[in-house]
Amino acid sequence: MANFFDDNEDIRFLFEHLDLRALATVQEDGFPTGPDVHEESPRDAEDAVDNYRRILSIVGDVAANTIAPFAESVDHEGNRLNEDGTVTLSRGMQESLRALGQADLMGFTLPRRYGGLNCPNLVYTMAIEMISRADASLMNIFGLQGIAETINAFADSSIKDEYLPRFSSGELTGAMALTEPDAGSDLQAVGLRAWQDTDGQWRLNGVKRFITNGCGDVLLTLARSEPELKDGRGLSLFLAERGPRLKVRRLEKKLGLHGSPTCELVYEDVPAKLIGERQLGLIRYVLSLMNGARIGVAAQALGIAEAAYRVARKYAHTRKQFGVSIERLPAVADMLVDMRISLEAARALVYEASRYCDFEMNNQRVLETNPPTDADELKRRKSEARVWKRLNGMLTPMAKYYASEMSVRVANDALQVLGGSGYMMDYPVERHLRDARITNIYEGTSQLQIVAAVRGVCGGAFERFAEELESREYLDKDLHEFKAGLVEGRARVMEGITFVKEQGTDYMDLYGRKLVDAAATVLIGHFFLRQAERNERKRLVAARYIRCGLQSLQADMNMLLSGDRSAMQEFETIAGEID
Ligand SMILES: Cc1cc2nc3c(=O)[nH]c(=O)nc-3n(C[C@H](O)[C@H](O)[C@H](O)COP(=O)(O)OP(=O)(O)OC[C@H]3O[C@@H](n4cnc5c(N)ncnc54)[C@H](O)[C@@H]3O)c2cc1C
């Protein structure tokens, strides 16, 4: 029987390679014993990792045998907005969500006391990838488990007790209601109003647009609770429930993800519960929610690319032109090899980013809930917290940017490999391309991810992380040489960083993409070297990736060091007049 975990050599390889035992140990607080420990808690790291493997195999089964067969009909059917303001999902979405709930997969990262599986984010990332390979639009509901995670991290215990077990069972689904007509990339401009009535009950008034699953049961809503403060400090986060005062006014018609309802919402004095503290809505809670969601979208991008690549790979093998399979034609072979390596490169980066988020979040949890009494241990943990925060501040947006751009490229190339057939609706690659195209827009566009990542690249996080990766010695002669290339590459990036800093912030934003690409090449090159130590095929992957990557890095740094500012200085002349 098909299984999207069992048939994916690279996910299974990374599952073994990425030391999940260490992750399980921090996730499970070192496997304590005693009467307070939940009966389903793993005994030790081996037991925990076996459990993750088993869970991923169940996801792989549901993805391949329940969700994937519906993907085509879900795309055609879409969703329906009813006269009473409710939304009916396609039959396939309903069936798939039911199957995920029945398999206990809707509380992936929640603690066991709320009915969750207490999995690390990395395991959830792998699951999202497999679900997205089956149907990217279903991932938009499965992947919204960050809503429950945010409630778990920041809401008071009565809210957690009321909602979290129902999220885990699949009874409730949620939405993240941030965007408004005048507040897209710039969420500091959110204007939806939150006010308290005479009983002290919070109420929400205003409009949100482009809200994925806005027809869901629980909407985490960013609203202005302090009207006198016009920036992010005036915003708080609220939990609002679907009801007569919260209406879906319209369902967006869009290029892809037809199974995922994108809603415009009207709030009319909707009663709401404050999450955590006032004024921390954007600056703390939404930032945390979005960081998780960015890794989720990066995983969605991987899943779509995997699906598209597989169609192209098979087609190139069976399609004959000029008397041979087209996979034997150099141009097609080159495209397929690039697609596969780009996909594995993005996966290496996304999984590493996800793993470091796990370390950061678990450390933070311990510091907040059970800080060490030993002063040295407390100091060590606090210092680690700072290091991981800085590293993830760079890696998370870098991974989201890199994976989503890769996904669009790979889906586009997959369609090209199929020629005219790719443009027809007889094959799923046109859907994959339509679905991939949103991943570099929502949860922050690629440009915004670059703005965030380049601050880390230029602010020391890249240099420290690269140094750490460079400290690994390779006895193998080839790997040693590849590493020397990466060390030289890093030096070139450092030259670029120094130059950019002398030029100012505008120049950093102008060349942000080139800097982030170059930094990602160096980091991924090192990830591939480590993989290559354990796997012969990965040596070839690493060799080609590093060879091509260093060429582009050199070209990008040459352009950056040239001081060319024509895009800004000659904008009017080159971009032309508006009609
Ligand atoms: C299908 C779909 C589902 C969505 N789901 C949700 C959801 O569930 N919840 C939610 O709250 N929102 C959701 N969104 C909204 C989404 O997050 C925003 O569309 C996105 O953040 C971009 O905002 P915008 O569309 O207003 O574009 P704008 O902010 O107007 O950006 C337009 C262009 O300007 C660029 N730009 C803007 N600012 C900068 C900058 N500082 N530096 C460089 N370039 C910049 C952008 O990169 C982009 O190219 C969804 C959107 C879509 C299309």
Side-chain angles (χ1 to χ4, degrees):
M1 198 143 93
N3 187 305
F4 284 0
F5 181 58
D6 295 345
D7 76 358
N8 195 315
E9 191 193 339
D10 200 40
I11 298 184
R12 279 187 295 109
F13 169 71
L14 290 175
F15 183 91
E16 301 304 331
H17 172 69
L18 286 174
D19 196 8
L20 268 87
R21 276 182 292 276
L23 210 54
T25 307
V26 290
Q27 182 79 18
E28 297 292 341
D29 295 326
F31 308 101
T33 50
D36 294 341
V37 174
H38 195 281
E39 57 185 1
E40 284 168 19
S41 299
R43 290 182 308 281
D44 52 28
E46 220 48 69
D47 191 23
V49 173
D50 278 350
N51 202 27
Y52 302 154
R53 204 179 282 110
R54 191 182 56 78
I55 291 168
L56 288 174
S57 194
I58 295 172
V59 176
D61 176 10
V62 175
N65 302 306
T66 304
I67 301 172
F70 279 123
E72 209 64 40
S73 69
V74 164
D75 185 55
H76 288 145
E77 216 178 299
N79 310 289
R80 197 178 61 243
L81 177 59
N82 304 310
E83 280 187 2
D84 63 359
T86 57
V87 172
T88 305
L89 301 179
S90 61
R91 190 174 78 82
M93 286 289 266
Q94 293 180 34
E95 296 279 334
S96 296
L97 283 169
R98 200 169 303 128
L100 288 167
Q102 276 166 1
D104 274 338
L105 295 172
M106 294 305 279
F108 233 88
T109 53
L110 285 181
R112 293 187 187 86
R113 67 177 173 285
Y114 297 123
L117 296 169
N118 199 40
C119 281
N121 197 45
L122 174 59
V123 177
Y124 182 43
T125 302
M126 293 172 171
I128 291 180
E129 181 184 334
M130 289 187 272
I131 300 286
S132 307
R133 174 180 155 195
D135 181 358
S137 58
L138 179 72
M139 172 308 196
N140 272 15
I141 298 182
F142 177 76
L144 277 170
Q145 295 187 29
I147 307 285
E149 238 177 84
T150 305
I151 294 173
N152 183 43
F154 303 115
D156 64 37
S157 51
S158 65
I159 298 182
K160 293 188 204 182
D161 292 343
E162 183 178 351
Y163 293 96
L164 295 184
R166 294 157 71 203
F167 270 108
S168 292
S169 68
E171 179 195 335
L172 299 181
T173 64
M176 178 169 55
L178 314 175
T179 303
E180 297 175 8
D182 292 326
S185 298
D186 180 13
L187 286 175
Q188 301 213 42
V190 157
L192 187 133
R193 203 173 137 235
W195 57 280
Q196 276 178 299
D197 65 18
T198 47
D199 298 330
Q201 170 70 57
W202 282 101
R203 294 192 177 271
L204 305 179
N205 276 77
V207 174
K208 293 282 179 188
R209 74 162 180 178
F210 297 169
I211 306 304
T212 298
N213 200 37
C215 50
D217 310 278
V218 173
L219 287 93
L220 281 191
T221 305
L222 187 64
R224 191 160 297 279
S225 54
E226 329 295 319
E228 69 287 359
L229 293 175
K230 300 295 174 211
D231 61 13
R233 290 168 305 164
L235 300 172
S236 303
L237 189 63
F238 294 89
L239 185 156
E241 283 194 51
R242 187 175 60 177
R245 289 167 180 273
L246 205 177
K247 292 204 183 76
V248 177
R249 184 160 68 184
R250 138 195 168 97
L251 279 184
E252 302 293 343
K253 291 196 170 70
K254 51 195 195 300
L255 179 68
L257 291 186
H258 289 161
S260 156
T262 310
C263 308
E264 186 169 291
L265 302 171
V266 183
Y267 293 67
E268 290 171 337
D269 294 332
V270 177
K273 296 178 168 79
L274 178 69
I275 299 287
E277 290 176 41
R278 275 168 88 150
Q279 296 191 255
L280 295 184
L282 180 63
I283 50 191
R284 175 131 193 243
Y285 311 141
V286 166
L287 276 191
S288 158
L289 174 63
M290 283 184 80
N291 276 340
R294 283 172 180 169
I295 295 284
V297 172
Q300 181 182 39
L302 296 175
I304 298 168
E306 176 74 37
Y309 173 74
R310 282 176 185 256
V311 178
R313 176 76 188 84
K314 196 167 171 186
Y315 186 88
H317 181 69
T318 46
R319 171 75 174 161
K320 287 202 166 50
Q321 286 293 281
F322 301 100
V324 292
S325 286
I326 59 168
E327 70 181 6
R328 296 285 154 218
L329 302 172
V332 177
D334 194 50
M335 231 190 305
L336 285 164
V337 165
D338 263 352
M339 287 160 74
R340 177 79 191 248
I341 293 179
S342 305
L343 173 54
E344 290 183 30
R347 187 178 283 129
L349 179 61
V350 174
Y351 285 12
E352 289 284 358
S354 180
R355 192 168 73 100
Y356 282 106
C357 284
D358 275 316
F359 284 121
E360 183 194 347
M361 286 184 322
N362 276 303
N363 192 43
Q364 195 58 35
R365 179 174 53 79
V366 171
L367 281 173
E368 279 169 15
T369 57
N370 189 17
T373 45
D374 178 73
D376 287 343
E377 174 62 6
L378 184 64
K379 202 168 146 200
R380 187 188 65 79
R381 283 217 176 241
K382 283 189 172 168
S383 145
E384 273 184 357
R386 280 191 296 276
V387 171
W388 280 325
K389 195 170 178 357
R390 269 200 297 269
L391 180 60
N392 291 331
M394 174 185 72
L395 278 186
T396 299
M398 184 186 273
K400 198 279 186 176
Y401 155 67
Y402 194 91
S404 58
E405 295 290 331
M406 173 283 298
S407 191
V408 174
R409 234 176 23 246
V410 166
N412 193 44
D413 284 350
L415 194 146
Q416 190 69 17
V417 168
L418 269 71
S421 298
Y423 196 70
M424 305 300 160
M425 294 176 91
D426 307 341
Y427 288 88
V429 282
E430 57 82 29
R431 168 166 55 85
H432 297 142
L433 180 56
R434 287 187 284 111
D435 288 351
R437 194 59 190 81
I438 187 58
T439 61
N440 54 1
I441 296 175
Y442 62 9
E443 292 311 333
T445 61
S446 281
Q447 288 70 30
L448 266 289
Q449 305 306 314
I450 288 169
V451 167
V454 80
R455 300 292 180 271
V457 170
C458 294
F462 166 68
E463 187 177 16
R464 266 188 298 277
F465 192 35
E467 269 171 11
E468 187 189 320
L469 294 168
E470 285 168 12
S471 67
R472 177 101 151 208
E473 291 300 335
Y474 295 95
L475 298 176
D476 179 280
K477 192 172 138 294
D478 291 343
L479 298 189
H480 181 78
E481 268 176 32
F482 294 146
K483 189 186 117 177
L486 292 175
V487 172
E488 254 178 61
R490 199 236 318 171
R492 194 78 174 135
V493 179
M494 296 313 300
E495 252 182 86
I497 291 171
T498 308
F499 185 78
V500 152
K501 281 184 175 169
E502 288 162 6
Q503 308 296 309
T505 316
D506 272 5
Y507 200 77
M508 189 186 285
D509 286 340
L510 187 59
Y511 283 94
R513 188 172 198 138
K514 293 193 189 308
L515 274 175
V516 174
D517 281 344
T521 298
V522 172
L523 300 180
I524 294 168
H526 283 290
F527 300 151
F528 271 149
L529 286 188
R530 290 178 181 210
Q531 295 180 19
E533 273 187 312
R534 296 176 172 210
N535 183 304
E536 274 304 307
R537 182 186 157 274
K538 288 281 186 175
R539 289 169 71 90
L540 298 173
V541 171
R544 178 161 163 135
Y545 178 83
I546 293 171
R547 209 174 293 131
C548 297
L550 289 178
Q551 292 290 335
S552 309
L553 182 151
Q554 289 294 352
D556 281 350
M557 291 304 101
N558 285 346
M559 180 67 188
L560 180 151
L561 290 164
S562 75
D564 183 287
R565 290 173 181 268
S566 52
M568 282 152 74
Q569 284 174 344
E570 318 296 340
F571 178 76
E572 303 291 347
T573 318
I574 299 177
E577 308 255 314
I578 300 171
D579 303 336

